[in-house]
Amino acid sequence: MKNNTLVHLGLALLRIVPSAFMLTHGYPKLMNLINGNTEFADPFGIGQAPTLFLAVIGEFICPLLMIIGFKTRWAAIPTAITMFVAAFMIHGADPFGRKEMALLYLTVFVVVMLLGPGKYSVDKS
């Protein structure tokens, strides 16, 4: 039988640590957006500024929500989508080693979306 406390601790670590690491990617994008520097990749043709805005949501806002465990399953969706785009559209033609980090993040955030935040969160689910 599994130790429930360890399961919930594992879920907390699974959502907090990668989300904190993701902030290091999202914070520079947030600063660029605030400073008006909207030069950014535009894989969908919606414009650089809207694409940067969506990346800030996926790499900064949603990871903050996941760290505290607020609406965690919903917050994992934009982050997972952002990592999917990074892996398969931005780095699609690159060798595996170049897209590996995005794929790891994608996997973690899909798992968080499926399993939820655990009891050590604002949501406590």
Side-chain angles (χ1 to χ4, degrees), residues 14 16 20 23 44 50 71 74 77 100 105 108 118-119 121-122:
L14 185 67
I16 293 169
L23 291 177
F44 297 111
K71 302 294 181 194
W74 288 103
I77 294 170
E100 181 180 10
Y105 277 124
V108 167
K119 73 176 186 179
S121 69
V122 173

Side-chain angles (χ1 to χ4, degrees), residues 22-104:
M22 182 60 66
L23 291 177
T24 67
H25 298 278
Y27 183 74
K29 291 175 180 75
L30 175 65
M31 290 297 102
N32 285 342
L33 188 63
I34 289 171
N35 294 327
N37 178 9
T38 59
E39 189 174 314
F40 197 68
D42 184 19
F44 297 111
I46 62 172
Q48 292 180 332
T51 304
L52 178 59
F53 180 75
L54 291 172
V56 167
I57 290 172
E59 294 182 15
F60 191 79
I61 305 299
C62 289
L64 281 177
L65 294 174
M66 283 188 278
I67 286 170
I68 64 171
F70 181 72
K71 302 294 181 194
T72 306
R73 290 177 188 231
W74 288 103
I77 294 170
T79 307
I81 291 169
T82 302
M83 291 300 98
F84 182 89
V85 170
F88 295 108
M89 297 189 80
I90 303 300
H91 298 293
D94 293 345
F96 179 76
R98 183 79 174 118
K99 61 181 110 182
E100 181 180 10
M101 187 64 69
L103 291 170
L104 285 170

